[in-house]
Amino acid sequence: MSTDTYKDILIGFSFILAEVFVFQHLSFFGATPDPLLIFVLWITMKYDRVKLILIVAGLSFLQDALFDYWGLNMFSKTLLCFMAFNFLNRRKENRLLIWQIFLVIFIAAISHNLIFLGLASFADAYSASFSPIIFILLDSLYTALLGSILFIFKGN
């Protein structure tokens, strides 16, 4: 692995830590963003499919370990990257507008949350008080808003 790969893994780890220490305490009507999903979408345009899926699976498994989901995020993020890889790689040459960035992140977050919710319904991960509408729509909106803000501050 190259130094860029190690650097991206460390950045992904910092996104997980930011979610654990910051964003879990900044809930909005029970919705929390998924910063790792934003990072995963960003590195989708950087690596080939196999390397991307291995990196995403490792980071998502670490996220699952910290949040006690054990494989739900790993499977849903890996499947999302596998499905969205061709679409995102075709758009890496173009400079997208802010509303297009918001829309791509929002659709990816909804897809991720639907996969996650489908898996969680089989695993009974959310047997206690849980609202699927808040999880699917508000979490996705919050993640898309955070991703758009990061895109604005990222610069070129």
Side-chain angles (χ1 to χ4, degrees):
M1 285 197 299
S2 67
T3 57
D4 281 342
T5 306
Y6 287 122
K7 187 174 90 171
D8 286 337
I9 291 171
L10 285 175
I11 292 170
F13 183 69
S14 67
F15 272 79
I16 294 170
L17 291 179
E19 183 177 1
V20 170
F21 293 124
V22 177
F23 291 110
Q24 288 301 310
H25 304 291
L26 295 175
S27 65
F28 182 70
F29 293 114
T32 56
D34 189 356
L36 183 62
L37 181 64
I38 298 165
F39 178 71
V40 162
L41 292 173
W42 177 64
I43 66 169
T44 300
M45 297 179 285
K46 195 173 182 181
Y47 294 107
D48 64 348
R49 183 175 273 167
V50 174
K51 194 172 197 178
L52 171 74
I53 287 175
L54 290 174
I55 292 170
V56 169
L59 289 172
S60 303
F61 188 73
L62 180 61
Q63 182 186 27
D64 284 338
L66 291 174
F67 288 106
D68 202 27
Y69 292 139
W70 293 109
L72 294 176
N73 273 313
M74 184 181 76
F75 184 78
S76 57
K77 281 186 179 58
T78 305
L79 183 61
L80 176 71
C81 285
F82 186 77
M83 292 186 315
F85 181 79
N86 289 335
F87 174 79
L88 291 173
N89 267 329
R90 278 185 261 142
R91 270 122 191 106
K92 72 180 175 183
E93 305 283 324
N94 304 341
R95 178 86 171 152
L96 298 177
L97 301 172
I98 188 69
W99 69 269
Q100 293 169 325
I101 296 292
F102 180 85
L103 191 63
V104 167
I105 295 172
F106 181 66
I107 291 171
I110 282 183
S111 302
H112 170 266
N113 290 341
L114 283 172
I115 295 167
F116 186 91
L117 188 62
L119 290 172
S121 67
F122 292 118
D124 285 334
Y126 287 116
S127 58
S129 61
F130 171 70
S131 175
I133 300 298
I134 288 176
F135 181 70
I136 291 172
L137 290 179
L138 287 181
D139 279 12
S140 300
L141 278 171
Y142 201 177
T143 301
L145 182 66
L146 178 66
S148 299
I149 290 170
L150 288 174
F151 176 75
I152 290 169
F153 288 122
K154 175 190 77 76
N156 290 331

